[in-house]
């Protein structure tokens, strides 16, 4: 496992060391398993003191482990101390980290070149044992496509002169993030406005539907009353028919109705048996009225 407390231990050792003791601290730190950050050591005063002296090569070696890669070490190997096997392994691990930070898909061919590994089998063993199991890298070995798929990777130390570019990159990212947040906020506000307008329209529609329902109900009730009057006018014998007969007959004896006998039958038809079929009774009443009117015409002519 990576242990950040390890670098703190070496920082404490370096603060109390001078000269050759500082060199020993650097050698131990660059060989320590699980330690992959060295910028804290570089800024310790006792370590900075050896940058321009007989131990300057070890200071540059510490810088190589902080910022460099295996190919860069090979280019400067003549001016730097010889590495132990542990140091070589660590620098190659840091080289994989640098590549993984730059690209998420790393071809096997590039890895073999950068790490000086001859075969694919050796490369895959190195990635699994020294990178995956050391928790500096998470990924997948794609043997079909002959590449390393990077899922996650630890960070590395950053040079002082690179901080300005890093800061600018962060500012650019922040501006893009703020723009995206503003766009999202705008979309959310638009959606909320649309939802409120839709709700208001729904309420208006509901009110209109309710008004229409009440109007239709009132019209149906009104038409129902008119239909009742029409039924009475078209087939029933009611008091209006009786009034008409009074005007024509002057209150004389009731007309003869088929199926009855004289006035008693007529009176029964008017008052006791009105419930027996409006249509037949009404028609009989109208027939009697017309007959009486025809009977009265000759008398009117004699006068």
């Amino acid at each position: 496992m990576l242990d950040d407390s390890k670098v703190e231990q070496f920082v404490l050792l370096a603060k109390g060391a001078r000269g050759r003791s500082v060199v020993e601290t650097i050698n131990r730190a660059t060989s320590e398993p699980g330690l992959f950050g060295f910028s804290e050591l570089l800024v310790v005063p006792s370590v900075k003191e050896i940058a321009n002296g007989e131990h300057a090569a070890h200071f540059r070696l510490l810088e190589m482990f902080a910022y460099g890669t295996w190919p860069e070490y090979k280019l400067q190997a003549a001016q730097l101390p010889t590495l132990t096997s542990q140091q070589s392994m660590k620098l190659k691990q840091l080289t994989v980290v640098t590549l993984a930070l730059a690209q998420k898909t790393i071809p096997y061919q590039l890895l073999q070149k950068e790490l000086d590994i001859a075969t694919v089998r050796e490369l895959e063993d190195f990635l699994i044992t020294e990178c995956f199991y050391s928790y500096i890298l998470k990924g997948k070995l794609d043997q079909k496509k002959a590449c390393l798929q990077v899922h996650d990777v630890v960070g590395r130390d950053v040079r002082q002169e690179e901080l300005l570019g890093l800061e600018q990159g962060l500012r650019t990212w922040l501006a893009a993030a703020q723009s995206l947040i503003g766009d999202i906020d705008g979309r959310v506000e638009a959606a909320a406005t649309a939802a409120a307008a839709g709700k208001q329209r729904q309420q208006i529609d509901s009110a209109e539907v309710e008004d229409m329902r009440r109007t239709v109900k009132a019209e149906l009730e009104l038409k129902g009353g008119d239909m009742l009057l029409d039924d009475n006018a078209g087939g029933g014998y009611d008091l209006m028919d009786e009034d008409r007969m009074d005007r024509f007959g002057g209150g004389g004896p009731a007309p003869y109705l088929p199926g009855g006998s004289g006035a008693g039958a007529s009176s029964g038809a008017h008052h006791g048996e009105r419930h027996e079929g409006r249509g037949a009774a009404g028609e009989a009443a109208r027939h009697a009225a017309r007959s009486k009117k025809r009977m009265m015409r000759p008398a009117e002519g004699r006068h």
Side-chain angles (χ1 to χ4, degrees):
M1 293 289 292
L2 297 177
D3 190 351
D4 294 336
S5 64
K6 290 183 178 181
V7 69
E8 297 177 0
Q9 296 174 6
F10 287 106
V11 167
L12 292 175
L13 290 174
K15 286 181 178 180
R18 292 292 184 275
R20 187 64 188 176
S21 296
V22 174
V23 172
E24 291 297 329
T25 301
I26 292 174
N27 287 334
R28 288 178 57 190
T30 53
S31 301
E32 179 68 24
L35 178 58
F36 298 97
F38 305 94
S39 59
E40 290 89 342
L41 272 175
L42 286 170
V43 297
V44 175
S46 59
V47 174
K48 294 172 67 175
E49 288 177 0
I50 68 170
N52 299 305
E54 60 176 329
H55 304 298
H58 283 83
F59 182 83
R60 292 194 298 273
L61 179 66
L62 183 59
E63 287 184 319
M64 183 64 65
F65 274 84
Y67 313 119
T69 62
W70 177 253
E72 291 174 355
Y73 170 79
K74 290 194 301 179
L75 290 176
Q76 304 177 41
Q79 292 81 36
L80 296 173
T82 302
L83 299 181
T84 65
S85 60
Q86 293 88 350
Q87 289 174 321
S88 298
M89 182 65 68
K90 182 183 293 291
L91 192 54
K92 289 182 178 182
Q93 289 174 311
L94 291 169
T95 300
V96 174
V97 170
T98 298
L99 293 173
L101 289 170
Q103 57 193 96
K104 297 304 180 184
T105 301
I106 311 174
Y108 279 178
Q109 186 176 2
L110 176 60
L111 288 167
Q112 288 180 256
K113 178 183 177 182
E114 294 292 307
L115 302 175
D116 283 337
I117 296 178
T119 67
V120 172
R121 177 62 180 274
E122 292 176 347
L123 174 63
E124 290 181 340
D125 288 344
F126 171 80
L127 292 174
I128 294 172
T129 305
E130 305 300 337
C131 296
F132 291 167
Y133 289 171
S134 297
Y135 301 98
I136 63 173
L137 177 68
K138 292 181 181 179
K140 176 182 177 182
L141 301 180
D142 191 335
Q143 295 178 331
K144 184 177 181 179
K145 296 182 179 180
C147 65
L148 167 65
Q149 299 287 344
V150 179
H151 298 163
D152 193 16
V153 63
V154 299
R156 287 202 66 181
D157 297 315
V158 181
R159 297 179 185 272
Q160 188 68 29
E161 56 269 23
E162 295 174 348
L163 291 178
L164 183 60
L166 182 61
E167 180 182 1
Q168 184 59 41
L170 290 174
R171 290 183 182 275
T172 301
W173 175 86
L174 180 60
Q178 290 175 338
S179 176
L180 179 60
I181 292 174
D183 182 62
I184 294 175
D185 289 342
R187 292 175 182 270
V188 170
E189 183 177 355
T193 302
K199 184 176 181 180
Q200 183 179 10
R201 182 59 191 172
Q202 183 179 12
Q203 293 174 347
I204 294 174
D205 290 344
S206 298
E208 291 178 351
V209 169
E210 182 64 21
D211 290 343
M212 185 178 297
R213 188 187 68 81
R214 292 174 180 174
T215 301
V216 171
K217 181 178 180 181
E219 291 179 354
L220 289 176
E221 291 175 350
L222 180 60
K223 288 183 178 180
D226 292 342
M227 291 174 63
L228 180 60
L229 291 176
D230 291 342
D231 289 343
N232 290 335
Y237 176 69
D238 56 12
L239 294 176
M240 294 177 66
D241 293 325
E242 189 173 358
D243 290 342
R244 294 189 191 101
M245 293 178 66
D246 290 341
R247 287 198 299 272
F248 285 111
Y256 169 78
L257 295 178
S261 58
S266 174
S267 177
H270 280 295
H271 301 289
E273 300 177 359
R274 187 176 298 177
H275 61 281
E276 296 180 355
R278 290 182 177 181
E283 181 62 26
R286 286 192 293 272
H287 177 72
R290 287 194 296 269
S291 298
K292 184 176 180 180
K293 187 175 182 180
R294 284 195 298 270
M295 293 172 62
M296 293 176 65
R297 284 177 181 174
E300 292 174 355
R302 287 192 297 269
H303 288 293

